[in-house]
Amino acid sequence: MVGLTRRGLIGAGAATAACAAFPPRLMAATAAEGEPPLFGPAAGVALLSRNENPYGPAPSALQAIAGWSGKGCYYADVGTRRLTAMIAERFGVTPDHVAIGGGSTEILSAAGLAFTSKGSILCPELFWDTTALYAAAKGATLKRVALTPDLDVDLDAMAAAVGPDVGLVHICNPNNPTGRVLDGDKMRAFVRAVSPKATVLVDEAYMELTDRPDYSSVTELVKEGHDLVVCRTFSKIYGMAGLRVGYAIGRPETIKKIQGYSMSFGGNTAGLAAAIASYNDTSFTGYSKGRILEAKGILLDAVKKAGLEALPSQANFLYVKVPDANAVQKAMAAKGIQIRGAYGKWTQWSRVSTGKIEDVQRYAAALPAAVGA
């Protein structure tokens, strides 16, 4: 496991010291007044239902937040341009190829609105469809394609379903809630075949957590000029879900169109400062990935010992086959452990996120009884 650097730990101390300068009444935990905490789980609750990374933000991010918080009175456009340039440099594109959003959710939602004027959204039957449903609420039509028998995205069936009635093809890779990652070569072939017919939108929120991110990602195809948008986020490996920073990479004309449907203005100073400070913080991202893999190992061992099976996951969660997902969720909740219930008709599949090691251990200890409940 990769450890935090001495500089990073000093940075965390600086951030803590800066926070200590705030009046105690502002920093006091509201739980003392009988109310839940403003952010995060209540005391005694193991939060394993939301694919969060409790080991972030990085010390470098905390230091940046503390250092720049006094500038929150100013709009954040300069910070947006700085982060845009950093992302463009990493992926070998120009800043015109990059859009920043309030988490990748905003960009995915904006893309759903931007391209459905040409036709429906083609998507898997099961994936993180919140943003597609947002577009549907605004009048878009969703055209769903069944998964393969092993619950993978069926790229062949999706390619065959692309016709004049499709304006956007939306895929999550690795997929949520299954955790499965698509083969990189097959994904690249799919994008090359489909993008001349419709815009391809790939949500790569968990890509940094995969075994081979460079192989599994399709970001390189943006430079080839394909009609492709790839979304990433700071919510997962960077542990910044509540700071709301995400980005998209695509052709300049595509990015400009998506930006026309965005709802935020310039981003927020805290999130941008944290993102800029930690984007190239490989010490933290290595540590973060190590903790997530450690927690996932505990979950896999628990699933095996309970006589269950889980899909091979390349994300920070597992999709576990159980007798009744909602019953397991209820049994876990009775022990202060939060996991997800059934997703639609997939009532025998239960999603559990990695989290703090001690919380994952609680899940492991409770699983046998919960399955038998």
Side-chain angles (χ1 to χ4, degrees), residues 1-369:
M1 182 185 300
V2 179
L4 292 176
T5 63
R6 183 172 180 270
R7 172 187 284 181
L9 292 173
I10 292 173
T16 303
C19 290
F22 287 92
R25 61 184 177 82
L26 295 180
M27 297 299 295
T30 57
E33 302 170 6
E35 298 179 0
L38 291 177
F39 313 111
V45 173
L47 184 55
L48 304 175
S49 60
R50 300 170 64 174
N51 297 350
E52 294 159 325
N53 173 12
Y55 293 101
S60 56
L62 296 177
Q63 184 178 16
I65 292 170
W68 287 104
S69 60
K71 301 294 184 179
C73 54
Y74 299 108
Y75 289 116
D77 48 305
V78 175
T80 299
R81 291 196 295 271
R82 177 76 61 82
L83 182 59
T84 297
M86 293 173 69
I87 294 168
E89 180 180 10
R90 174 177 293 187
F91 290 97
V93 297
T94 69
D96 290 341
H97 287 81
V98 180
I100 305 294
S104 56
T105 299
E106 180 184 18
I107 300 171
L108 291 164
S109 297
L113 296 179
F115 298 103
T116 50
S117 60
K118 298 189 298 181
S120 60
I121 299 176
L122 181 71
C123 54
E125 188 177 19
L126 178 62
F127 78 117
W128 191 73
D129 60 1
T130 299
T131 51
L133 291 174
Y134 172 82
K138 303 296 182 182
T141 299
L142 303 188
K143 184 178 179 181
R144 296 185 183 265
V145 177
L147 300 179
T148 65
D150 60 356
L151 299 187
D152 209 351
V153 174
D154 193 332
L155 290 180
D156 291 339
M158 291 195 69
V162 178
D165 62 322
V166 174
L168 183 70
V169 179
H170 189 174
I171 291 175
C172 182
N173 188 40
N175 197 22
N176 179 13
T178 66
R180 297 183 67 97
V181 67
L182 291 160
D183 178 79
D185 288 337
K186 291 181 180 178
M187 265 299 291
R188 281 182 282 277
F190 174 83
V191 171
R192 291 187 176 108
V194 170
S195 59
K197 305 173 186 178
T199 302
V200 180
L201 176 64
V202 183
D203 177 2
E204 291 188 350
Y206 304 94
M207 188 55 68
E208 293 93 344
L209 301 175
T210 64
D211 293 339
R212 296 191 291 167
D214 291 340
Y215 172 75
S216 299
S217 175
V218 293
T219 51
E220 280 293 314
L221 297 186
V222 172
K223 291 192 290 186
E224 293 183 11
H226 296 283
D227 191 5
L228 166 70
V229 179
V230 179
C231 286
R232 295 279 185 98
T233 182
F234 283 84
S235 296
K236 307 307 176 184
I237 195 168
Y238 292 95
M240 289 172 45
L243 288 166
R244 311 309 302 138
V245 182
Y247 59 93
I249 304 167
R251 298 191 304 198
E253 63 271 26
T254 303
I255 291 298
K256 187 174 182 180
K257 187 170 184 178
I258 291 174
Q259 289 172 327
Y261 287 84
S262 296
M263 291 162 282
S264 62
F265 180 75
N268 73 86
T269 52
L272 287 168
I276 290 166
S278 62
Y279 188 51
N280 294 317
D281 188 346
T282 55
S283 177
F284 173 74
T285 54
Y287 165 81
S288 179
K289 188 171 183 176
R291 296 297 272 180
I292 289 168
L293 292 176
E294 180 184 358
K296 192 159 61 174
I298 295 171
L299 292 175
L300 285 168
D301 286 344
V303 168
K304 183 177 180 179
K305 289 178 181 177
L308 305 172
E309 63 175 293
L311 294 181
S313 173
Q314 293 278 298
N316 62 342
F317 52 86
L318 288 184
Y319 208 39
V320 184
K321 191 171 186 180
V322 297
D324 185 329
N326 288 333
V328 173
Q329 181 191 41
K330 184 178 179 180
M332 286 289 182
K335 294 183 177 293
I337 304 167
Q338 294 184 6
I339 63 171
R340 287 297 299 260
Y343 283 79
K345 69 179 185 180
W346 291 272
T347 57
Q348 287 189 297
W349 290 92
S350 168
R351 196 194 75 183
V352 54
S353 307
T354 61
K356 293 180 179 179
I357 298 300
E358 58 268 29
D359 291 340
V360 170
Q361 290 170 336
R362 286 177 59 187
Y363 170 91
L367 184 59

